[in-house]
Amino acid sequence: MLGKTAGGLYWMFRFLERSENTARLLEAGFRMALTRSSDAESEWKSVVTTSGTSLGYENKYDSYSDTLVMDWLLRDTDNPSSVIAGTKSARDNARLVRTALTTEVWEAVNDNWMTLRDLLAKPVTTVDLPATLALIRKQSALVRGALHGTMLRNDIYDFARIGTFVERADNTARIIDVKYYTLLPSASAVGSSLDNVQWEMILRSVSAHRCFRWLDEQDMTATAIADFLIFDKRLPRSLAFCVKQTTENLRYLEQEYETRHPCHDLADKLGRQLKTLDINTVFDHGLHEMITEFIRDNNALGAQIERDFRFIG
């Protein structure tokens, strides 16, 4: 496959995943802001910081508020990680690789862009935010459904899935981080009812609340929830699941092209690093520190994939 086509598929699905997960990150911050009434500006700043877009935000705005942050993350085209910017970039990449997609996938991506363009044409209020975020998630699910239901399981599919899971791993890590490192009021709150309520909100923001209750309803604690979100390979948004899927799809490409690249070694290394950890070790070392290292290593993997397969995002 030409690097241009591979890159288009990879970035198409990275941008789709990023748009959905930006919405999920905003939901996590919004839900946790509801549990706290003081220092609202600091709380909204933490969401932007965790999204990795604080420099661009501060170049444009001189204060943090719910209205400005929602607008920045949802519909500001100056923010390349905003929902509307990511959705447009996904559609642009889909047009680039149109002949590699089934009609159903192309139509789902195009409909996603048109629906969200209309939805986000005007600023979103806090009253309308939950319904807006739900529709963003729904539109993303329709694209994934078209991909799963109509695409051949070949190198085209593998590049799409690698883009999805490299991006999802980054965003799940950021959602965990926005809770524990930035939004937790103080170390004294660890293990408190507020701490547990916020962790429960994190589960809801990654659509994992019911799954967790099925598996471990009696242990709604920070340790159990963090363990679930990081290490449980049954959860499709856990860090371990994302790394496992990225590694598997890279392995399929290795078999398809009969070539092993440095990115295969990086993916295997990242998987081994997770296997050597457990949740007690993570908390002893520092959850924020572990998540920061994971984001760094996952980003390095994404960059190596681009180099190995000769495409540029």
Side-chain angles (χ1 to χ4, degrees), residues 18 239 245 251 253 268:
R18 185 175 302 175
L239 302 188
Q245 291 300 122
R251 188 174 298 120
L253 290 176
D268 289 343

Side-chain angles (χ1 to χ4, degrees), residues 13-37:
F13 279 89
R14 280 204 72 162
F15 282 123
L16 282 168
E17 189 70 22
R18 185 175 302 175
S19 295
E20 178 182 353
N21 282 286
T22 295
R24 289 180 180 276
L25 178 63
L26 180 58
E27 181 179 24
F30 176 70
R31 283 180 178 273
M32 282 185 280
L34 295 177
T35 69
R36 300 171 60 191
S37 58

Side-chain angles (χ1 to χ4, degrees), residues 84 112-122:
I84 197 65
N112 181 47
W113 156 244
M114 292 189 294
T115 298
L116 297 190
R117 178 194 60 190
D118 294 343
L119 177 71
L120 301 175
K122 297 180 180 179

Side-chain angles (χ1 to χ4, degrees), residues 1-11 155-156 158-160 162-163 166 246-267 300-313:
M1 183 186 296
L2 292 175
K4 183 178 180 180
T5 301
L9 291 161
Y10 173 85
W11 278 105
D155 54 349
I156 293 172
D158 290 328
F159 280 114
I162 290 167
V166 168
T246 299
T247 302
E248 286 185 358
N249 286 109
L250 282 171
R251 188 174 298 120
Y252 295 146
L253 290 176
E254 180 183 357
Q255 295 168 356
E256 175 81 14
Y257 297 148
E258 298 182 346
T259 303
R260 185 173 178 85
H261 294 290
C263 64
H264 293 97
D265 297 327
L266 280 183
L301 173 59
Q304 189 63 52
I305 289 169
E306 295 178 50
R307 289 192 292 269
D308 290 344
F309 292 101
R310 297 180 176 83
F311 56 82
I312 301 174

Side-chain angles (χ1 to χ4, degrees), residues 172 175-176 179-180 192-206 208-209 211-213 215-232 235 237-239 279 282-283 287:
T172 295
I175 287 174
I176 295 171
K179 156 65 187 80
Y180 202 82
S192 68
S193 59
L194 173 61
D195 186 31
N196 293 339
V197 166
Q198 290 186 343
W199 274 109
E200 185 173 349
M201 289 178 178
I202 287 293
L203 283 175
R204 292 184 185 279
S205 71
V206 296
H209 183 261
C211 293
F212 182 84
R213 293 183 70 88
L215 297 173
D216 209 355
E217 183 173 8
Q218 302 305 316
D219 194 15
M220 190 69 71
T221 62
T223 301
I225 293 171
D227 186 44
F228 186 55
L229 295 175
I230 295 171
F231 295 113
D232 199 316
L235 177 66
R237 291 188 176 275
S238 76
L239 302 188
I279 196 59
V282 168
F283 273 75
L287 181 58

Side-chain angles (χ1 to χ4, degrees), residues 10-246:
Y10 173 85
W11 278 105
M12 169 188 167
F13 279 89
R14 280 204 72 162
F15 282 123
L16 282 168
E17 189 70 22
R18 185 175 302 175
S19 295
E20 178 182 353
N21 282 286
T22 295
R24 289 180 180 276
L25 178 63
L26 180 58
E27 181 179 24
F30 176 70
R31 283 180 178 273
M32 282 185 280
L34 295 177
T35 69
R36 300 171 60 191
S37 58
S38 62
D39 199 12
E41 180 162 331
S42 177
E43 294 167 4
W44 285 110
K45 180 179 180 179
S46 70
V47 177
V48 176
T49 300
T50 306
S51 74
T53 62
S54 57
L55 181 61
Y57 182 94
E58 291 176 357
N59 284 337
K60 186 167 186 176
Y61 303 111
D62 56 8
S63 65
Y64 287 86
S65 68
D66 54 357
T67 303
L68 292 178
V69 172
M70 288 191 301
D71 205 63
W72 174 252
L73 292 177
L74 287 175
R75 54 189 301 276
D76 196 321
T77 55
D78 290 335
N79 175 13
S81 293
S82 70
V83 170
I84 197 65
T87 303
K88 183 179 185 302
S89 294
R91 180 178 181 266
D92 290 344
N93 278 279
R95 292 180 67 180
L96 177 68
V97 297
R98 175 67 184 85
T99 57
L101 303 173
T102 61
T103 300
E104 289 82 358
V105 173
W106 161 250
E107 289 179 348
V109 174
N110 195 47
D111 180 69
N112 181 47
W113 156 244
M114 292 189 294
T115 298
L116 297 190
R117 178 194 60 190
D118 294 343
L119 177 71
L120 301 175
K122 297 180 180 179
V124 178
T125 66
T126 53
V127 173
D128 293 331
L129 183 63
T132 299
L133 299 177
L135 183 55
I136 292 169
R137 294 195 303 271
K138 178 182 177 181
Q139 288 297 125
S140 181
L142 292 174
V143 178
R144 284 197 303 274
L147 176 77
H148 284 294
T150 67
M151 292 290 291
L152 292 172
R153 269 43 175 181
N154 56 11
D155 54 349
I156 293 172
Y157 182 82
D158 290 328
F159 280 114
R161 297 297 280 167
I162 290 167
T164 295
F165 287 109
V166 168
E167 188 67 33
R168 183 177 296 178
D170 179 82
N171 284 277
T172 295
R174 291 180 184 277
I175 287 174
I176 295 171
D177 200 41
V178 77
K179 156 65 187 80
Y180 202 82
Y181 179 69
T182 317
L183 287 183
L184 192 65
S186 68
S188 63
V190 175
S192 68
S193 59
L194 173 61
D195 186 31
N196 293 339
V197 166
Q198 290 186 343
W199 274 109
E200 185 173 349
M201 289 178 178
I202 287 293
L203 283 175
R204 292 184 185 279
S205 71
V206 296
S207 301
H209 183 261
R210 182 165 295 182
C211 293
F212 182 84
R213 293 183 70 88
W214 284 337
L215 297 173
D216 209 355
E217 183 173 8
Q218 302 305 316
D219 194 15
M220 190 69 71
T221 62
T223 301
I225 293 171
D227 186 44
F228 186 55
L229 295 175
I230 295 171
F231 295 113
D232 199 316
K233 293 182 179 179
R234 296 168 294 181
L235 177 66
R237 291 188 176 275
S238 76
L239 302 188
F241 184 94
C242 292
V243 172
K244 175 176 176 289
Q245 291 300 122
T246 299

